[in-house]
Amino acid sequence: MSEAAKDVKVDVSLADVRRVAELANLELNSDEEPRMLHDLAAILGHVAELNELDTSSVEPMAQVSSVLKAGVSIQGVLRPDVVVPSLDRATVLAASPENDGVYFKVPKVIER
């Protein structure tokens, strides 16, 4: 990574933090906002550093299946597919606080 990329600074305002919190349905108090401002700036700074990397020789891909077929060793990264029995619906529903016999009933969390 270039020296310039290591010094990338991203300007983030308190309004940006509040907007992101609103979109994420988070309620930040006045003590949390400065920390979130710092964290958001750090995350965006890291993304800006990544954008400085030369990826012109890297082929775009949406799935790793083509890499796996090419024989690239990624042993230990993917687990083997193993068929296992799922949980018994009646047992799981019986342990839930509220259900209708088929589905869990949960409180509404989005009020918009």
Side-chain angles (χ1 to χ4, degrees):
M1 192 167 306
S2 71
E3 285 302 313
K6 290 180 183 175
D7 295 327
V8 172
K9 299 286 186 229
V10 177
D11 288 326
V12 179
S13 70
L14 200 50
D16 295 329
V17 169
R18 289 176 178 152
R19 178 65 179 145
V20 170
E22 178 187 356
L23 292 171
N25 204 24
L26 297 174
E27 293 180 17
L28 298 178
N29 63 40
S30 58
D31 295 334
E32 294 170 314
E33 287 178 342
R35 191 179 77 225
M36 291 301 126
L37 180 67
H38 175 268
D39 290 350
L40 184 57
I43 291 166
L44 294 176
H46 184 67
V47 171
E49 284 182 40
L50 293 175
N51 284 335
E52 295 292 322
L53 295 173
D54 178 16
T55 59
S56 60
S57 63
V58 178
E59 290 224 16
M61 67 176 179
Q63 298 292 325
V64 297
S65 57
S66 61
V67 174
L68 295 174
K69 289 177 186 169
V72 173
S73 176
I74 57 170
Q75 188 166 348
V77 175
L78 300 177
R79 65 170 173 75
D81 280 337
V82 178
V83 177
V84 295
S86 62
L87 298 172
D88 177 63
R89 179 186 298 264
T91 303
V92 173
L93 288 174
S96 71
E98 192 174 351
N99 66 75
D100 66 2
V102 179
Y103 299 106
F104 296 108
K105 287 188 173 182
V106 296
K108 182 178 180 180
V109 295
I110 299 175
E111 297 295 329
R112 295 179 191 191

